[in-house]
Structures are given as structure tokens and as C-alpha cells.
Amino acid sequence: MDSLIAFLHHHLRALLADPAALHATRRRCLALLTPPLRHHCRNNLSGAQEEEENEDDAVLAALHSSIDALLPSPVDGAAAVCLAGVEEALQAPALLPEHGETAGLDNRRVAACAYFYLALVRCAQGDAWQMSMDLLQAVAVCPAAVATARE
């Protein structure tokens, strides 16, 4: 198990240290999180439907901003505070029920991206064990998201 953790930690640290690779990873993840076009007018929504759409949009917005927050290399104390905020923002998308949708996206895809970015946050924080668990959770929740990322 220690070898697996060390292997994953090594590769995620390399990803965090390579701005071009981190930007490419961001693009792939955001492509997975592009919701389908909505074919209705907001004026025709009930209050509950509109509230649900607003909640879905908020979850995706938090995930997008968390992904963007990891683009600069975390180096100083301010970055540690930023990482704690990113970690907190990623918790809601990671804990979505697997069977369901958020803004027309399969929740497994949303959760997989959140867990992957949680793994990057844990790596930047130096928590190799939790980083490994989050990365493996991303693969377990949605193997197809990982397969898509290789294309």
C-alpha cells in the first residue's frame, strides 16, 4: 500500500509542478463538466424547479472556481488558507448522490472531478494518504471520466 501511495503522490506532485499539464487537466475536467443546453425558458419553471436549477448552478460554479484556484502553485501561507477554502468548496460536489443529475450532468461525473481535485489539494497539503483515497474514489465513482481524460 505504501508503494501505491508513493507512486500516486509522485505523479500528482509532478502534475502540480507542471503548469502546462495542470492547464490541460483543467481543460479536460471542465469539458466533462459542460452541461447540456437547457431547452426551456426560466419563466416556465415552478419555484421548486428554479430553486433546484439555482442550486445545481451553484454546485457547478463552486467546482469550477475550485478547479481554477489550483492553477497557481501553492507556495506560501496564503496558499495554505486558499487550499483550505478550495477543499471545503469541493466537499459538496464530491458528496452528491451517485444516482442523479446536477444541471443535466451525471452526478458521478461531477463527483469524480471533485474527488480528483480534492486529491490534488491533499497532495499540495502534503497528505499523501488522503490524496490516494480521494484519487481512488474518483476512479471508483466514474471510471469513464478517467478513460475520457486520456483521450
Side-chain angles (χ1 to χ4, degrees):
M1 190 61 140
D2 288 340
S3 296
L4 175 63
I5 292 170
F7 175 82
L8 295 174
H9 190 247
H10 169 77
H11 286 285
L12 288 186
R13 292 219 29 100
L15 175 61
L16 286 171
D18 183 349
L22 199 54
H23 280 279
T25 301
R26 175 188 173 274
R27 283 190 304 274
R28 284 191 298 262
C29 195
L30 292 179
L32 288 170
L33 296 173
T34 302
L37 293 176
R38 295 179 181 158
H39 299 289
H40 61 268
C41 177
R42 279 196 177 257
N43 296 336
N44 295 335
L45 295 178
S46 71
Q49 288 172 320
E50 188 171 345
E51 185 176 324
E52 184 177 326
E53 272 199 11
N54 289 340
E55 289 173 10
D56 288 356
D57 292 342
V59 167
L60 290 180
L63 185 51
H64 285 169
S65 66
S66 297
I67 289 169
D68 288 342
L70 281 179
L71 288 177
S73 282
V75 177
D76 59 12
V81 172
C82 175
L83 286 176
V86 169
E87 178 183 354
E88 186 176 320
L90 288 168
Q91 295 296 329
L95 296 175
L96 288 170
E98 285 186 28
H99 302 288
E101 290 186 346
T102 299
L105 293 170
D106 185 335
N107 280 351
R108 290 173 295 192
R109 185 184 286 189
V110 176
C113 289
Y115 276 116
F116 177 77
Y117 272 88
L118 272 171
L120 290 178
V121 168
R122 307 284 194 196
C123 183
Q125 292 171 331
D127 187 348
W129 174 260
Q130 191 59 52
M131 173 217 62
S132 299
M133 295 299 103
D134 289 334
L135 185 61
L136 294 172
Q137 185 69 30
V139 174
V141 167
C142 190
V146 176
T148 302
R150 289 185 299 188
E151 294 176 354

